[in-house]
Amino acid sequence: MTQPELSTSSAASSEPAASSDFAPDTLIVETGRPQRAYGAAVNPPIDLSSTFVSAGDITASPYAYARFDTPAWTPFEEALGQLEHSALPGLVFGSGLAAISAVISLVPAGGTLIIPTHSYQGALSSAEQIAGRQNFDIVTVDISDTEAVIAALDEAGHARPGQVAADGAAASASAGEAGSPGMLWIESPTNPMLEVADVPALTTAAKDRGFLVSVDNTFATPLLQTPLDLGADIVVHSVTKYLAGHSDVVLGAVVTGSTALREDLHTERSMRGGIAGPFEVWLALRGLRTLAVRLDRAQANAHAIAERLAAHPTVVETRYPGLPGDPGHARAAAQMNGFGAIISFTVDSAEKATAIAEAVRLWTPATSLGGVESLIERRRRHPAEPATVPEGLIRLSVGIENLEDLWADLEAALA
Ligand SMILES: Cc1ncc(COP(=O)(O)O)c(C=O)c1O
């Protein structure tokens, strides 16, 4: 068999540029590739080994056993760490909720978790379960009401007098540390109400009071919002959504800039053991490559559809942070690089909302979001969705199809 002509040396064909030189939309294409050399693969392999050659001190080996760490995760974890502006790689989890549970498990017994009333309902349900077992309090807040969140932080801090560190920044080294009053959980924009939190103001207030701050960045993605730059300690993703982007993977991830927190979360992942499979992570990295173009197209579609919905007589209210009249518009414009591709709109009854979701022919009636295909869902069909979410609220995950095809289908369903 004739061999392809290879370089006489296995050295790199040319020195690849450092990832930090690139804009994020280049970074997602270039990062996490194997060492550049003639004949080398362009993409990382799907590494299926469950164990790795090692002897002596097992902690000294970069890979020893695939529940702890595997090369199957490394390219994606490094890419996500860079995208979220951390010097440390991210940590991939078996689902977004596994990542959320690991982070919430850091809240110490006797502490408080302050969490948006309208955070993703799975996060809230999971938090309630963990709080029951680990004996911490949960306070739900309207995350768009900065004064109310600060009042909740004050109250939770006062409930543990003497526990608030004088230096708030130092206090957030680990939520599990004695003396931490707990964690502020931010989701912005929220799912499904699309409320926008004042992330810099809330992270400052929380850290001044010794709270750890975690942000679910699923709706925005690191291309539209980098919470670590806005003062957060931990960023969480449902990779299932935009990052993987094709509705064919369930996966989650966490990124932090703190070595101590990363260690805590790594331990949490290794010891609970619900880890991600190599193929899923490979698919997520493959999907991540096109995030910028998918998001550009989906956002442009969403913006136009939101404007048309806002002018439609059947629609009672449209929430999309990109609309100038939206309550979250100014904040989103200040702290995000774009408004995302999720819209929530309300019609006057559950029956009408269900009929619309059943009438569409191009949009797919389904839960989840962030894939290339447009999805539509009446959110209160989930029993756990809070009663403050209107019965007639429909969440749209706008995809990358042709705008006029999408609108024609939705308009016909509205009629
Ligand atoms: C904002 C948000 N965070 C987290 C999750 C949970 O992610 P997963 O379904 O990957 O466990 C979801 C799922 O819908 C979500 O919308």
Side-chain angles (χ1 to χ4, degrees):
M1 200 171 87
T2 333
Q3 291 294 322
E5 210 173 291
L6 299 181
S7 157
T8 48
S9 119
S10 61
S13 56
S14 62
E15 211 39 57
S19 312
S20 55
D21 295 345
F22 298 132
D25 46 353
T26 304
L27 181 69
I28 55 172
V29 179
E30 292 306 316
T31 193
R33 305 240 179 227
Q35 187 69 35
R36 185 190 291 196
Y38 292 124
V42 167
N43 289 303
I46 303 172
D47 197 314
L48 293 172
S49 204
S50 61
T51 191
F52 303 89
V53 181
S54 67
D57 178 3
I58 196 162
T59 60
S61 178
Y63 303 110
Y65 186 59
R67 177 158 43 80
F68 307 143
D69 268 308
T70 148
W73 298 337
T74 306
F76 181 76
E77 291 185 330
E78 288 185 351
L80 199 56
Q82 289 165 354
L83 280 171
E84 286 289 5
H85 296 171
S86 170
L88 304 173
L91 288 165
V92 72
F93 283 79
S95 68
L97 204 53
I100 289 171
S101 306
V103 173
I104 288 176
S105 297
L106 298 180
V107 180
T112 304
L113 174 70
I114 298 173
I115 184 166
T117 311
H118 294 138
S119 40
Y120 164 60
Q121 44 94 6
L124 207 48
S125 307
S126 173
E128 277 159 7
Q129 273 194 1
I130 299 169
R133 290 197 205 113
Q134 288 190 194
N135 194 25
F136 60 79
D137 292 333
I138 294 193
V139 174
T140 55
V141 286
D142 172 355
I143 203 71
S144 65
D145 184 344
T146 306
E147 296 305 311
V149 180
I150 293 175
L153 287 164
D154 278 336
E155 198 170 324
H158 288 145
R160 291 163 58 80
Q163 304 266 350
V164 180
D167 175 358
S172 59
S174 172
E177 273 179 10
S180 165
M183 182 184 289
L184 172 63
W185 187 268
I186 297 176
E187 197 179 293
S188 183
T190 57
N191 179 7
M193 297 290 272
L194 293 171
E195 294 141 340
V196 179
D198 185 341
V199 180
L202 293 184
T203 55
T204 303
K207 291 172 85 174
D208 283 351
R209 291 159 178 78
F211 283 78
L212 196 70
V213 182
S214 303
V215 177
D216 185 330
N217 205 25
T218 299
F219 271 29
T221 85
L223 295 188
L224 303 186
Q225 178 169 266
T226 43
L228 298 185
D229 295 337
L230 304 175
D233 300 290
I234 298 175
V235 180
V236 180
H237 282 282
S238 169
V239 177
T240 313
K241 314 297 199 261
Y242 287 103
L243 300 183
H246 294 76
S247 305
D248 51 10
V249 163
V250 175
L251 216 58
V254 172
V255 183
T256 173
S258 151
T259 309
L261 282 173
R262 191 178 187 280
E263 258 174 49
D264 287 349
L265 291 162
H266 186 271
T267 302
E268 195 68 29
R269 180 177 73 179
S270 302
M271 294 299 101
R272 308 268 171 184
I275 56 162
F279 187 52
E280 283 73 11
V281 181
W282 188 89
L283 277 174
L285 183 64
R286 187 184 200 273
L288 187 68
R289 303 286 185 216
T290 56
L291 177 63
V293 285
R294 286 188 280 111
L295 212 50
D296 274 356
R297 172 66 171 249
Q299 279 195 117
N301 280 349
H303 207 113
I305 290 169
E307 280 173 348
R308 295 178 195 188
L309 283 170
H312 197 283
T314 308
V315 175
V316 177
E317 190 189 13
T318 304
R319 288 298 304 262
Y320 177 67
L323 293 176
D326 189 90
H329 178 71
R331 269 184 200 162
Q335 70 196 19
M336 297 173 74
N337 300 319
F339 302 107
I342 306 293
I343 301 170
S344 288
F345 70 97
T346 308
V347 293
D348 60 17
S349 69
E351 293 69 30
K352 201 180 275 184
T354 302
I356 292 167
E358 286 173 354
V360 287
R361 299 176 63 203
L362 170 59
W363 295 73
T364 303
T367 197
S368 199
L369 56 105
V372 290
E373 64 291 307
S374 294
L375 304 183
I376 181 168
E377 184 180 39
R378 184 180 84 84
R379 283 303 293 179
R380 284 292 299 281
R381 78 191 181 105
H382 293 272
E385 198 70 79
T388 43
V389 173
E391 284 281 3
L393 183 136
I394 294 176
R395 187 186 70 194
L396 300 179
S397 172
V398 182
I400 65 168
E401 303 92 335
N402 177 278
L403 169 64
E404 298 311 327
D405 286 341
L406 286 174
W407 178 247
D409 189 41
L410 192 57
E411 198 179 27
L414 285 167

